[in-house]
Amino acid sequence: MNNLSPRRRLSVDQHAATVLAALGGARTPVETVALRSAPGRVLATDQAALLAVPPFTNAAMDGYAFRAVDAPGALPVSGGVPAGVAAEPLRAGTAVRIMTGAPVPVGADAVVPLEDVTVDGDSVFLAAPPRPGQHVREAGEDVRPGDLVLRRGTRLSARHLASATAVGLTALPVARRPRVRVVVTGDEVTSPGAPLGPGQVPDSNGPYVSGAVTRAGGEVAGLTRCPDDAEALVEVLDHADADLVVLTGGASAGDRDVVRDVLEARGCELVHVMMQPGKPQGCGLWDGTPVIALPGNPVSVVVSFAMFVRPAIEALLGQTPRPPRWGVAARGWRSPAGRRQIVPVTLEEAADGRRYVRPASEGGTGSHLIASLAAADALAVVPEERDEVLEGDLLPLLDLP
């Protein structure tokens, strides 16, 4: 039943565009979560401040608050203002002891640090007049109510939650995690820990893709290991119940690779993408659900996930694109001209501030080098027009999923 007609050859960018086009601009629904549940989620709408920051005029230093016009000279200390209490209005010609963050009394317009005054009994001596506003943080100086604080598409972290809390937000609208069905095909793969028969290998792709989906912000809707059987694969895809299906293995043109026939029967296309590793790829819709078909080789799966699957999950979340990172090649290596090479690399931060990269496997850059993944810190991208990386070359880096 295999259809071995030639496949279209696409550039990496062309296939990436095809994958995103299969999503049809879809976004997952919005749900509101408490701040404690927001880390790692993607903000669905811009958020404005409800409260001013700081909410009241306060002291930026431990010291004494007074009127600038009353200095220099000796001023009697008329009281003290600790943090967390209301301050009585300042009596003209006096100073008050004040703590960092405490409200500045009405009438005071400057704070002098403890180390800049001389204390003599119940009075303080100021040798020089301070400028009005010195060491005083005005109400709303940082943020005013209505100011934009968080932008949609932001992957929320602890610092974002701190800002949200400070401006009075207690819950945030976020994109629902995309539900991703993971399907691993092949008679040769077995569940991790199961006895291995002749020609069988443990399934590393299933655990990898499942973990990478979670890290990318998705939710694993299920992991299925499917033999090289067309009817079984159709059954799995018919009941995927997901926003996205990621399928590994069986996408080549071998005698028992049924994935191509099953997917192409539903209008999905399998192509050759000009990249190394990860040449055989596929994409399309199965009853309206986007399907991304990856090779079966574990290193190819890692690279393909970074190039095509993670961007698809981020698009479903409406996530802001990640800023690029760069690294300097610590040594040279060969690259296949006409194909974009993606290499697992280790990173070394040097004293000169540069980030140096070298292939994680000293044995080469082939797609079979699974052990290199555990040692790798990132993926380095070599453009198609290059056939060699030279020491000192600047290379774009992708985060490892």
Side-chain angles (χ1 to χ4, degrees):
M1 140 174 149
N2 278 297
N3 175 4
L4 302 182
S5 59
R7 297 187 183 190
R8 280 204 306 155
R9 293 177 178 268
L10 300 179
S11 70
V12 173
D13 294 336
Q14 287 173 328
H15 187 61
T18 299
V19 170
L20 294 181
L23 303 179
R27 298 287 186 272
T28 54
V30 175
E31 58 187 16
T32 300
V33 299
L35 294 186
R36 65 178 179 276
S37 301
R41 305 298 295 272
V42 175
L43 191 64
T45 61
D46 290 344
Q47 295 297 296
L50 301 179
L51 302 177
V53 179
F56 51 85
T57 300
N58 66 86
M61 301 281 287
D62 287 350
Y64 290 87
F66 54 92
R67 299 190 310 168
V69 297
D70 289 335
L75 298 175
V77 178
S78 60
V81 187
V85 302
E88 296 292 332
L90 180 72
R91 297 201 307 268
T94 70
V96 294
R97 179 79 164 85
I98 195 166
M99 302 293 107
T100 301
V104 173
V106 174
D109 61 5
V111 173
V112 173
L114 293 174
E115 58 268 25
D116 293 340
V117 302
T118 301
V119 180
D120 183 9
D122 293 333
S123 298
V124 292
F125 179 79
L126 299 101
R131 58 176 176 79
Q134 176 177 304
H135 300 307
V136 173
R137 295 183 292 213
E138 298 290 340
E141 181 179 294
D142 183 19
V143 179
R144 294 171 298 177
D147 284 352
L148 177 64
V149 178
L150 299 174
R151 294 188 179 276
R152 67 182 297 271
T154 299
R155 178 68 73 92
L156 297 167
S157 65
R159 68 182 187 277
H160 301 117
L161 305 190
S163 296
T165 302
V167 300
L169 301 172
T170 58
L172 293 172
V174 297
R176 176 177 61 74
R177 299 183 188 275
R179 290 173 47 79
V180 181
R181 181 78 173 189
V182 181
V183 182
V184 178
T185 69
D187 291 335
E188 74 279 12
V189 294
T190 65
S191 299
L196 297 179
Q200 290 189 315
V201 295
D203 169 29
S204 62
N205 288 338
Y208 171 77
V209 175
S210 297
V213 163
T214 301
R215 187 173 180 185
E219 175 187 334
V220 178
L223 165 60
T224 302
R225 296 178 180 90
C226 183
D228 292 318
D229 179 273
E231 291 184 2
L233 181 57
V234 169
E235 177 71 13
V236 170
L237 295 176
D238 279 345
H239 297 89
D241 188 25
D243 300 302
L244 175 68
V245 174
V246 178
L247 187 152
T248 72
S252 300
D255 291 339
R256 291 180 58 80
D257 289 338
V258 301
V259 171
R260 179 177 187 178
D261 299 303
V262 169
L263 293 184
E264 288 186 341
R266 295 290 186 95
C268 300
E269 183 181 19
L270 278 81
V271 297
H272 283 159
V273 178
M274 304 311 294
M275 60 188 284
Q276 183 199 55
K279 180 179 177 181
Q281 301 284 338
C283 178
L285 297 176
W286 186 278
D287 292 342
T289 299
V291 176
I292 303 176
L294 310 180
N297 179 276
V299 179
S300 297
V301 169
V302 172
V303 168
S304 300
F305 191 98
M307 300 299 290
F308 308 120
V309 180
R310 182 169 61 195
I313 293 174
E314 292 173 346
L316 288 169
L317 288 166
Q319 185 173 353
T320 303
R322 301 163 183 246
R325 291 196 300 160
W326 297 85
V328 179
R331 69 169 180 82
W333 67 82
R334 302 294 300 178
S335 182
R339 287 194 282 171
R340 188 175 302 181
Q341 187 187 47
I342 299 93
V343 183
V345 294
T346 59
L347 304 180
E348 179 184 352
E349 302 288 344
D352 61 6
R354 293 187 175 186
R355 180 186 294 116
Y356 287 92
V357 306
R358 64 180 71 245
S361 172
E362 295 299 330
T365 58
S367 62
H368 63 289
L369 299 171
I370 183 65
S372 67
L373 292 178
D377 301 310
L379 299 172
V381 181
V382 184
E384 293 89 331
E385 62 271 16
R386 301 287 300 276
D387 63 4
E388 185 178 11
V389 173
L390 301 177
E391 182 179 343
D393 281 351
L394 195 62
L395 298 172
L397 301 176
L398 298 174
D399 290 336
L400 272 168

